[in-house]
Amino acid sequence: MITSGGDSPGMNAAVRGVVRAALGRGAEVFGFRHGWRGVISGDGFPMNSGSVSGIVDRGGTSLHTARCPEFREPKGREQAVQVLKEFEVDGLVVIGGDGSLTGARRLFEEFRFPVVGIPGSIDNDIAGTDYSIGFDTAVNTAMDAIDKIRDTAYSHDRVFVIEVMGRANGFIAVEVALASGAEAVLVPEVPFSLMDACNRLRKLRVEGKRSSLIIVAEGAARATDVADFIHRTTGFETRYLVLGHMQRGGSPTAFDRVLAVRLGAYAANRLLSGFMGEMVGVDGGKLVAHPLSYVLSTTKNIDPDRLLLVEAMTV
Ligand code: ADP
């Protein structure tokens, strides 16, 4: 098993799910540190039940993670398969985002190596599952920070522009905007007009709302530029905040822990039952599995109704 790419809260609970379910079926389990890098360099170690004690509540990943450019090259993948054979690994569980899962797909398609993927990413942009591990925690972490900002925005009659993670999509931004009662949300997928946003803020001010929150996904615009524009256009006192890497950390929510342990155990069981080249996920609360080829060639889109709801809540 590896955890690879960007870390996300709940990966540890998934590791625990994989290890304990596999041991329960009589399998031997090896963990490789630092994702694909540890596979290539042979940094593997046997795991027993105690290896995953006391980690269910911890953010990050106890297996460590890394980016591994070598694995993108055919030579790197050949080396990885060689090492896996030396360790007598019959199947690999890969916990990570779309990059890590693309690596898993290549291992399966090029070498027929048995792999099962688990979606671990705060971005929630992976198709084939309603939720990826870490998204719920990241949203809650951002929401907690924004609740504090709201207090000071209210006291000083300020507009606050808050940048959340999401380089290519607005999943976190939309969820956070709804949870925080923000006045506007800017996402990379949908064109937006800052002038419209300013007009809306002016209208709200006339109606007596003296402070506002605007959520920006990092891929849509820079919070500092948005804040500048709003200040110059409206004259309102405006501040900005970039939440940054704090969104990746922290103890996972109950939702993420339960999701992770379910997906971990399911992945181990699928692999031990002979399934391969797939990713496990949840669909309407039920566990599902889809081919990696489907998952990685399908785009998951934000829910347009949620986006509209943010605006509808500012009448
Ligand atoms: P994430 O898994 O969070 O999306 P990355 O995109 O950085 O993170 O991918 C993690 C690692 O997965 C990369 O460092 C690389 O080793 C492997 N990987 C990513 N894309 C590919 C690819 N196209 N082919 C092979 N391996 C890949």
Side-chain angles (χ1 to χ4, degrees), residues 2-7 11 35-37 40 65-73 77 94-107 110 120-123 125-126 248:
I2 58 170
T3 52
S4 165
D7 64 319
M11 278 184 164
W36 295 119
R37 194 167 89 196
I40 289 178
T65 184
R67 260 110 190 171
C68 177
E70 295 92 323
F71 194 78
R72 292 175 182 269
E73 308 301 325
R77 295 196 290 277
V94 177
I95 307 171
D98 57 355
S100 305
L101 297 172
T102 301
R105 178 188 180 184
R106 295 216 151 152
L107 214 57
E110 292 168 8
S121 165
I122 62 166
D123 290 329
D125 56 348
I126 302 168
R248 281 196 182 284

Side-chain angles (χ1 to χ4, degrees), residues 19-20 23 47-54:
V19 170
R20 296 256 165 103
L23 292 175
M47 298 183 82
N48 56 31
S49 189
S51 312
V52 290
S53 290

Side-chain angles (χ1 to χ4, degrees), residues 127-140:
T129 186
D130 290 344
Y131 294 102
S132 56
I133 296 166
F135 173 68
D136 186 67
T137 306
V139 168
N140 275 282

Side-chain angles (χ1 to χ4, degrees), residues 197-208:
C198 287
N199 289 337
R200 192 129 44 91
L201 292 179
R202 280 204 193 99
K203 178 173 161 282
L204 290 169
R205 185 71 60 121
V206 168
E207 289 165 2

